[in-house]
Amino acid sequence: MRILGIETSCDDTGAAIYDGQAGLVVNRLASQIELHNEYGGVVPELAARDHIRKLLPLIESLIHDPGNGGRPVDAVAYTAGPGLAGALLVGASVASGLAYAWNVPALPIHHMEGHLLAPMLEDPAPEFPFIALLVSGGHTQLVDVEAAGRYRIMGQTRDDAAGEAFDKTAKLLGLGYPGGPAIAARALEGRADRFVFPRPMIRQGGLEFSFSGLKTQVLTTAREQPRLDSQTVSDIALAFELAVVDTLAIKCIRALKMSGRKRLIVSGGVGANRRLRDRLREQCRKLGVEVFYPRLEFCTDNGAMIAYAGYFRWKLDMENGGCLPSHGGFDVRPRWSLEDLSRDGTDSRAMED
Ligand code: KG4
Ligand code: ZN
């Protein structure tokens, strides 16, 4: 089974081919960072237009890559949601058009399931069950994954996602977009004893997050400084990064203890954060928990995780008697919870809307 995966939910045009036997065959990404940098964040209309420009040439280059050698694919998987509506529609319409032309199924994929499965592209891959910390620009969630396709959200953010907090904080410190890598780089020069920001919601016993207050704290602190010189910016960046990393780590450990699970996977753009990875590795070792990360390029948005999720969905479907949706109409779900992803990969609430 050879699957083409297409990712266009936000500001990365990603495409990849995954083969059930050979593994990942080829993976490419066209980033839009330059395009959105001058606005300090993603401009949805520009994102959609750029996907239109980049996606078909990207797919063509994959199909003819020497690794694939022009071989046909057996299905086309695409991100159907959550994400920016216009951007999602580009991937969905191209995927459905290709699937129709090639006479293969088009498989709608939940973007967060893609992130959640990204560590499966690595060796060793985690086995079920596990706890997943999904931290991206749009989501911050702790998910209990009991078995393939069985998801229970244990806690999530009440306001900003962790990545969004990085992006907004970087913007107000004048560090550009995307904020995560920019803040992490500046934090390396920071002095840890200068500022301390609160760790939001750690005293409450639950697993909810809230990051919007932290951003306001940064703003207030920055305004209080007589001069926002380069060293002060680095010091604030470090204090902010430490507050986010601590908060995420505390809740992860709490989720592991509450559930008794012995494996943790961390994925999504913020999962690329070096300090977070090191912290969780160290704390999980003490707890006797195995921790799994995808490589950095599979933490942020990419086509490989969507191609793999397509393969995963196809396999699940075969085990359950097989009724993959055939090509025809398509739909996108800009808002779509992992918990509403039914066992067959579709939106279990779609009929109610
Ligand atoms: O998963 P992703 O590529 O896109 C979404 O689905 O949102 O995540 C992007 C987010 C951005 O907010 C970006 O600032 C953050 O991930 N990010 C990081 C790092 N690399 C990317 N945050 C912290 N540290 C990083 N090294
Ligand atoms: Zn993402």
Side-chain angles (χ1 to χ4, degrees):
M1 187 74 176
R2 193 162 268 233
I3 301 208
L4 168 67
I6 295 175
E7 159 58 36
T8 64
S9 66
C10 190
D11 60 343
D12 288 304
T13 317
I17 296 174
Y18 184 87
D19 184 290
Q21 248 117 53
L24 187 61
V25 176
V26 47
N27 173 46
R28 299 230 167 106
L29 190 79
S31 165
Q32 301 183 354
I33 285 178
E34 302 256 306
L35 187 67
H36 302 291
N37 198 358
E38 69 174 291
Y39 304 99
V42 179
V43 183
E45 182 62 23
L46 293 184
R49 285 172 193 227
D50 205 55
H51 289 312
I52 294 175
R53 267 192 293 273
K54 305 274 175 59
L55 186 55
L56 276 171
L58 195 70
I59 294 172
E60 201 158 21
S61 79
L62 287 188
I63 301 282
H64 297 294
D65 184 278
N68 188 53
R71 270 187 65 179
V73 297
D74 304 300
V76 184
Y78 64 95
T79 302
L84 303 171
L88 288 168
L89 276 169
V90 178
S93 50
V94 166
S96 302
L98 288 176
Y100 184 74
W102 293 338
N103 200 23
V104 298
L107 312 175
I109 298 297
H110 193 294
H111 180 76
M112 298 313 287
E113 182 171 64
H115 276 306
L116 192 144
L117 296 172
M120 304 284 183
L121 289 161
E122 305 297 354
D123 187 18
E127 281 171 27
F128 299 106
F130 54 72
I131 296 293
L133 171 67
L134 303 181
V135 263
S136 69
H139 293 79
T140 299
Q141 299 182 323
L142 275 162
V143 187
D144 184 17
V145 184
E146 184 199 334
R150 290 200 185 277
Y151 307 125
R152 182 174 65 87
I153 295 173
M154 300 178 78
Q156 56 191 331
T157 185
R158 293 189 174 171
D159 39 58
D160 291 354
E164 194 178 355
F166 268 102
D167 293 337
K168 288 178 175 169
T169 301
K171 190 172 180 179
L172 63 89
L173 291 176
L175 294 180
Y177 175 85
I183 290 206
R186 288 302 291 265
L188 292 174
E189 331 259 300
R191 296 167 301 185
D193 52 0
R194 182 122 178 251
F195 303 105
V196 179
F197 295 126
R199 277 59 176 150
M201 299 193 69
I202 54 164
R203 283 203 193 86
Q204 290 91 328
L207 296 170
E208 302 290 296
F209 300 91
S210 165
F211 290 109
S212 71
L214 197 51
K215 170 197 66 199
T216 314
Q217 290 268 343
V218 171
L219 184 62
T220 313
T221 305
R223 282 198 180 135
E224 279 166 9
Q225 303 312 306
R227 276 186 59 228
L228 202 57
D229 55 27
S230 173
Q231 184 61 53
T232 304
V233 168
S234 300
D235 296 343
I236 294 177
L238 176 60
F240 169 82
E241 191 184 38
L242 286 173
V244 176
V245 166
D246 265 3
T247 308
L248 293 173
I250 289 167
K251 303 265 164 153
C252 268
I253 301 303
R254 197 175 282 171
L256 286 162
K257 287 186 175 160
M258 281 166 72
S259 63
R261 303 274 186 233
K262 289 292 172 201
R263 289 181 207 97
L264 172 72
I265 71 114
V266 182
S267 192
V270 183
N273 186 277
R274 178 59 54 200
R275 218 177 281 272
L276 176 68
R277 289 164 92 98
D278 291 349
R279 173 74 55 85
L280 285 173
R281 198 171 279 125
E282 182 197 322
Q283 299 212 336
C284 285
R285 188 177 44 79
K286 287 187 197 149
L287 216 63
V289 167
E290 275 183 291
V291 55
F292 297 84
Y293 303 104
R295 73 195 75 167
L296 298 187
E297 64 191 285
F298 295 162
C299 266
T300 43
D301 290 349
N302 64 87
M305 69 184 194
I306 303 303
Y308 179 81
Y311 173 68
F312 170 87
R313 278 286 155 196
W314 171 79
K315 243 184 12 179
L316 256 189
D317 191 68
M318 289 301 120
E319 285 161 23
N320 294 324
C323 59
L324 279 181
S326 61
H327 54 70
F330 61 88
D331 199 6
V332 296
R333 314 285 302 167
R335 298 175 73 82
W336 186 7
S337 165
L338 251 187
E339 281 185 339
D340 296 330
L341 182 62
S342 60
R343 287 284 282 169
D344 68 359
T346 58
D347 185 345
S348 60
R349 294 190 326 145
M351 304 304 284
E352 297 165 19
D353 298 348

